[in-house]
Amino acid sequence: MKSRIWHGTLAGIVLASLIIQLTLTATDPAPDAGPAVTRFVNLFSYFTIQSNLLLLVAVTGLALDPHRDGRLWRVIRLDALLGIVITGIVYATILAGQVELTGAARLSNFGFHYFAPWAALLGWLLFGPRPRIDGRTLAWAAVWPALWIGYTLAHGAVTDWYPYPFSDVVALGYPAVLVNLGAVVVIAVVIGAILRLLDPRLPGGSPAVPAAETPAVPQPRPSADSSTEVETSADRQR
C-alpha cells in the first residue's frame, strides 16, 4: 500500500505538470513562438518531457501493481529512472537559473526538475521492485537516449533549433556539442552501473515464490473396533 500511494502521488504530480506545460505551450502569446504545431514538436523534443512521460507510464503501472514485471516493462522502468535522474542532475548543475519562471510555469518546472527526479529515485530505493536490472535490460535501455541524440542533431540541422544550450550546434559547433552529449552519456552509464549493482542488494523485491509444499500423507483414523481393542488390551495388562 505504501508503494501504491508513493507512486500514485508521483504520477499525479507529473501528470499535473504535463497538463500545465501543455496548456502553456498551446496558449503561448510570444510572437516568436511560432505556430502551434512547431511549439508542440519542440516541446516533445525536450529530454525533460520525454523522461517525465516515461516516468508517468512507469509509476502509473507501479501504482496499479507494485510488483509489475516483464521484459519491455524493465526497459521502460530503467529508462524512466535513468532519464529522470539525469534530468534532475543536468538541470541543477547547468540549466537552473538561466530563465526566470513565474506562476504556472514555475509550478510545472518544479514538478519536472525538482520533485520528479528525486521522488522517483527515492521510490526505487524504498520499494523497488527488484531485481529488475540485468545486462540485457541495460543494453536495451541505451536505445532511447541514442535515438534522442540522433533526433536532436538531425532536427536541429533542419530547423536550427536545439532544446538545450549545451546541444546548440549553431552556437557551439559539432565538436563541443558531441563532447557535451558524450559527457551526459557517461553520466548515464555510471548511474546505470550503480543501479545495477544496488538492484539485487536492496530490499523491496517482489515476494518470493513459495516453495512447493509436500502434500501431507493422510493418516488413517482409528476405527471404533481398534479403539476397543486397545482398551481391552490395556484392561488385560491391568
Side-chain angles (χ1 to χ4, degrees), residues 23-96:
T23 303
L24 292 173
T25 302
T27 58
D28 190 347
D32 59 345
V37 173
T38 301
R39 295 200 301 268
F40 279 104
V41 168
N42 290 345
L43 175 65
F44 288 103
S45 298
Y46 281 96
F47 189 86
T48 293
I49 298 300
Q50 294 185 20
S51 61
N52 273 275
L53 285 171
L54 285 172
L55 182 64
L56 180 59
V57 172
V59 296
T60 300
L62 290 173
L64 297 173
D65 178 8
H67 301 291
R68 186 165 181 172
D69 200 4
R71 178 55 58 188
L72 178 60
W73 168 255
R74 291 185 179 198
V75 176
I76 292 174
R77 172 65 167 152
L78 180 56
D79 267 333
L81 189 59
L82 283 174
I84 203 66
V85 170
I86 291 170
T87 293
I89 291 174
V90 171
Y91 186 82
T93 57
I94 300 175
L95 302 174

Side-chain angles (χ1 to χ4, degrees), residues 144-157:
W144 164 59
L147 289 176
W148 180 81
I149 290 174
Y151 165 79
T152 298
L153 295 177
H155 182 255

Side-chain angles (χ1 to χ4, degrees), residues 138-211:
L138 276 172
W140 278 106
V143 173
W144 164 59
L147 289 176
W148 180 81
I149 290 174
Y151 165 79
T152 298
L153 295 177
H155 182 255
V158 174
T159 64
D160 285 339
W161 180 90
Y162 295 89
Y164 301 105
F166 61 83
S167 67
D168 191 340
V169 173
V170 175
L172 303 176
Y174 277 104
V177 167
L178 292 176
V179 169
N180 293 338
L181 295 177
V184 175
V185 170
V186 170
I187 294 172
V189 170
V190 171
I191 296 174
I194 294 172
L195 294 179
R196 184 182 180 186
L197 182 67
L198 294 176
D199 190 42
R201 292 171 171 81
L202 292 173
S206 297
V209 178

